[in-house]
Amino acid sequence: RGRRNKTNVRQGSPRSVAGGIFRLELFAIAPVFKARALRVTLLTSTTEKISPRFTTFFTFTFTFPFSLSRSPALPLSLSLSLTMGALGWTWLPRIFAALLLISGGVFAAEIQTTLDGPFEPVTVPFDVVLRGHAVDLPPTDPRVVKRVGGLEPEQISISLSSEGAIWITWITGDFQIGNHVKPLDPGSVRSIVHYGNLKRPLTHEATGHSLIYNQLYPFEGMLNYTSGIIHHVRLTGLKPGTKYYYRCGDPSVAPMSSVRSFRTMPEPGPSSYPARIAIVGDLGLTHNTSSTIDHMISNSPDLFLLVGDVTYANLYLTNGTGAECYSCAFPDTPIHETYQPRWDYWGRFMEPLVSKVPMMVIEGNHEIEEQAGKVTFEAYSSRFAFPSEESLSKSTFYYSFNAGGIHFIMLGAYTDFNRTGAQYKWLEADLNKVDRSVTPWLIATWHPPWYSSYKAHYREAECMRLEMEELLYSYGVDIIFNGHVHAYERSNRVFNYSLDPCGPVHITVGDGGNREKMAIIHADEPGECPDPLSTPDPHLSGLCAFNFTAGPAAGQFCWDRQPDFSAFRDSSFGHGILEVKNETYALWTWHRNQDFYDGKGDQVYIVRQPSKCPTKPNVRRHDSNHPISINDLENFLLDV
């Protein structure tokens, strides 16, 4: 806006001077800019003599449609509004020059897409301030103490089941730990959920099942544990994309929980997606964990994926003594002990988030927790509800589910993954049933990464990669999320260690905040390449990683620089948010804990190219409920 400023007019001067201000406001309405406004102010003045009678203001609006050359699916419209005062028409050329300058700046802010790749490898320098002592939350922290009495529900959480269904999980009663423990009777408390579309009254009721589990040790001096009563209730007949209210418990023995709410996932379809999906691994229960969850809650996720290593209860002896490194602090224990109350602390800490937002978990190495009789994964398999039966899996270690137009596959690295095994056969059958016209996006997760350039756990999961990578590639998996390595790393599209435009993007998010702290050393640093014989994990099969036979690292076990497959790496705690925009574009943003809540440590659009990367199954099925989309038509024309 340009206006006369009478105080700036020099009286008696043959050429009076009027000060003026232009404010040019540029609004970018497109997913690329998340509908935020970019405002630019241009300060100007004029020496033209202005008549006091000239007080009319003129408004000119220029609208230019733009289309990003690399993003044909995301047209960009720019509306430029300019209000001119008494500055005269001679300013128009200068105004248009300013518009060109401003519009040029818009493209400099464009978010990169995988179509721009492969990217040159980037390593963010490590901030030594972040390598501080990782401290677990103590049992006295108000966020982990029991806040209900008697048999009232606590540790409430929800998880996805099949379409139109969801699981509600909670615990009643107290755990016991000691030399002589007496398990509670699961049948003594009923599993009931009241729910409905209105907060009051809750018109529907569902019942489920309950169980307890034990963590027992056959060695003198070790304390045994028995859990409270764990309840799992499946709600069915739910409408997609709908908010429901619920409360759980057994009103005959104790008050039910307060009323909570959740929103169901959108209906499967090529234009229907959860707005934001939070993804993190190796969470633990430290002050860093608290920061991660605070940041995550600020991003209002609709779904939460936890890719293994939940509580780190196995960094403790059964008497509650803990350490950052179990094997370093307790090398002489006859069995790897675990302090199970940490699971209860974790459940209480997470309840404010996961009683509203569905959480889907896959096992990590810290969930093994071997006990008497070589029993493993008891806490993991008992405390969470999984859509295993719904996805025709016979195991809690692997399963699948839909969230709108995304098909998620959760795989188990700490169970049999050989091609002759049950998991591989299940995976092949599950992939073959995916209809990419209904769920265009295919995302897989498991705990240990196949592609990581950090020294920690370097090439540890190579046996699993050799068994499963070709199958996932042939079905066109778009993104793979992992944890295990306590750092962040995003790959270029890769297959079999070679850059491949049809390969998935691998993202490691093992930076949730656990007590073992961050990984900071890279295998490509001088003198840091591990001995191949030191890489196998006995829980992940045998030795499968050998020297590379081709590529820039041929003849070596490690690269001598950041590998080509590694696009971006940063040793910082944080979490990621995935926002699928449509059939082909998904925005991935990684948020670091040390940044402000809206800070972005890494951001990229992951773009699918189904026309260039044909996958199994080759037949695209359509029906009246899922008509052919514009993207399908575009792909068909490109194929022709």
Side-chain angles (χ1 to χ4, degrees), residues 50 111 141 151 258 282 308 310 327 356 388 440 446 467 517 584 597 605 639:
I50 302 172
I111 299 172
D141 189 291
L151 295 173
S258 60
D282 303 70
V310 181
S327 60
K356 300 176 181 178
S388 299
W446 59 87
E467 294 290 334
K517 300 191 295 188
T584 51
Y597 281 87
Y605 270 100
D639 290 339

Side-chain angles (χ1 to χ4, degrees), residues 584-595:
T584 51
Y585 277 76
L587 179 63
W588 167 254
T589 307
W590 175 61
H591 299 270
R592 306 190 308 174
N593 286 1
Q594 66 263 38
D595 296 333

Side-chain angles (χ1 to χ4, degrees), residues 168 170 191-195 204-206 233 235 246-248:
I168 309 291
W170 70 95
S191 307
I192 301 174
V193 175
H194 295 155
Y195 66 102
H204 300 280
E205 179 178 294
V233 176
L235 310 187
Y246 74 96
R247 62 191 308 189
C248 56

Side-chain angles (χ1 to χ4, degrees), residues 57-329:
F57 287 76
F58 298 94
T59 301
F60 300 92
T61 301
F62 308 95
T63 302
F64 303 95
F66 287 89
S67 180
L68 301 178
S69 59
R70 290 186 297 271
S71 307
L74 296 175
L76 179 66
S77 297
L78 304 180
S79 296
L80 303 173
S81 299
L82 173 67
T83 303
M84 297 178 61
L87 296 181
W89 294 95
T90 58
W91 279 85
L92 278 179
R94 305 181 203 185
I95 293 166
F96 276 106
L99 297 181
L100 291 175
L101 189 62
I102 295 167
S103 64
V106 172
F107 293 98
E110 180 188 348
I111 299 172
Q112 289 183 314
T113 80
T114 50
L115 301 181
D116 301 319
F119 303 103
E120 290 294 321
V122 172
T123 298
V124 176
F126 175 66
D127 185 350
V128 294
V129 175
L130 303 176
R131 190 61 178 172
H133 184 61
V135 180
D136 270 340
L137 297 183
T140 55
D141 189 291
R143 293 167 291 182
V144 306
V145 297
K146 188 173 182 179
R147 297 182 291 273
V148 300
L151 295 173
E152 293 181 56
E154 65 156 350
Q155 304 180 49
I156 302 169
S157 66
I158 61 178
S159 56
L160 299 182
S161 177
S162 55
E163 295 170 25
I166 203 162
W167 286 101
I168 309 291
T169 296
W170 70 95
I171 293 180
T172 54
D174 296 319
F175 68 79
Q176 302 167 56
I177 186 165
N179 293 316
H180 304 286
V181 295
K182 183 179 180 181
L184 298 175
D185 176 13
S188 63
V189 183
R190 294 181 298 167
S191 307
I192 301 174
V193 175
H194 295 155
Y195 66 102
N197 295 114
L198 300 176
K199 197 170 186 179
R200 291 181 180 85
L202 299 173
T203 55
H204 300 280
E205 179 178 294
T207 59
H209 66 278
S210 58
L211 71 154
I212 60 98
Y213 77 93
N214 301 313
Q215 189 78 19
L216 307 175
Y217 295 100
F219 301 101
E220 185 178 351
M222 294 185 187
L223 303 179
N224 295 321
Y225 171 94
T226 184
S227 71
I229 301 172
I230 303 169
H231 303 264
H232 298 301
V233 176
R234 185 170 179 256
L235 310 187
T236 59
L238 306 178
K239 296 179 181 179
T242 302
K243 186 174 185 178
Y244 286 90
Y245 297 90
Y246 74 96
R247 62 191 308 189
C248 56
D250 181 353
S252 68
V253 298
M256 298 186 78
S257 71
S258 60
V259 177
R260 316 295 175 95
S261 66
F262 63 86
R263 184 172 294 276
T264 54
M265 291 294 103
E267 182 181 12
S271 58
S272 178
Y273 302 96
R276 285 170 296 278
I277 302 169
I279 305 168
V280 74
D282 303 70
L283 198 54
L285 189 57
T286 69
H287 292 283
N288 293 317
T289 308
S290 177
S291 178
T292 299
I293 296 302
D294 285 346
H295 279 74
M296 184 187 298
I297 291 174
S298 74
N299 281 314
S300 303
D302 302 288
L303 177 63
F304 171 32
L305 267 60
L306 179 50
V307 293
D309 283 2
V310 181
T311 70
Y312 287 80
N314 71 339
L315 292 183
Y316 287 78
L317 300 178
T318 60
N319 63 12
T321 303
E324 293 176 1
C325 172
Y326 183 96
S327 60
C328 306

Side-chain angles (χ1 to χ4, degrees), residues 292-479:
T292 299
I293 296 302
D294 285 346
H295 279 74
M296 184 187 298
I297 291 174
S298 74
N299 281 314
S300 303
D302 302 288
L303 177 63
F304 171 32
L305 267 60
L306 179 50
V307 293
D309 283 2
V310 181
T311 70
Y312 287 80
N314 71 339
L315 292 183
Y316 287 78
L317 300 178
T318 60
N319 63 12
T321 303
E324 293 176 1
C325 172
Y326 183 96
S327 60
C328 306
F330 316 117
D332 299 324
T333 55
I335 192 172
H336 193 131
E337 300 178 39
T338 174
Y339 187 61
Q340 287 295 295
R342 297 297 300 181
W343 279 95
D344 295 281
Y345 304 158
W346 190 90
R348 294 165 187 159
F349 175 82
M350 294 295 293
E351 181 179 332
L353 172 65
V354 300
S355 62
K356 300 176 181 178
V357 178
M359 175 178 63
M360 308 305 290
V361 184
I362 199 65
E363 85 280 358
N365 56 299
H366 283 272
E367 281 73 74
I368 295 173
E369 298 184 315
E370 183 181 351
Q371 56 175 301
K374 296 189 178 298
V375 175
T376 55
F377 293 103
E378 275 296 283
Y380 164 81
S381 296
S382 301
R383 289 178 177 267
F384 301 116
F386 307 92
S388 299
E389 291 185 13
E390 297 94 311
S391 58
L392 303 182
S393 167
K394 297 181 180 180
S395 172
T396 60
F397 298 145
Y398 51 90
Y399 57 91
S400 66
F401 62 93
N402 290 336
I406 310 169
H407 186 71
F408 284 98
I409 296 177
M410 315 290 276
L411 295 178
Y414 300 94
T415 187
D416 180 20
F417 46 70
N418 294 323
R419 299 189 186 195
T420 57
Q423 179 178 202
Y424 189 95
K425 294 177 181 177
W426 168 86
L427 173 60
E428 193 169 27
D430 189 82
L431 287 168
N432 195 54
K433 290 185 296 183
V434 175
D435 185 348
R436 302 300 281 269
S437 67
V438 178
T439 52
W441 287 86
L442 185 53
I443 297 176
T445 78
W446 59 87
H447 186 57
W450 292 347
Y451 291 94
S452 172
S453 59
Y454 284 85
K455 183 177 181 179
H457 307 299
Y458 181 71
R459 300 181 69 183
E460 191 175 272
E462 189 73 356
C463 292
M464 183 183 182
R465 185 190 72 82
L466 292 172
E467 294 290 334
M468 288 188 162
E469 185 177 28
E470 187 175 355
L471 178 63
L472 295 177
Y473 178 83
S474 68
Y475 278 89
V477 170
D478 300 298
I479 312 173

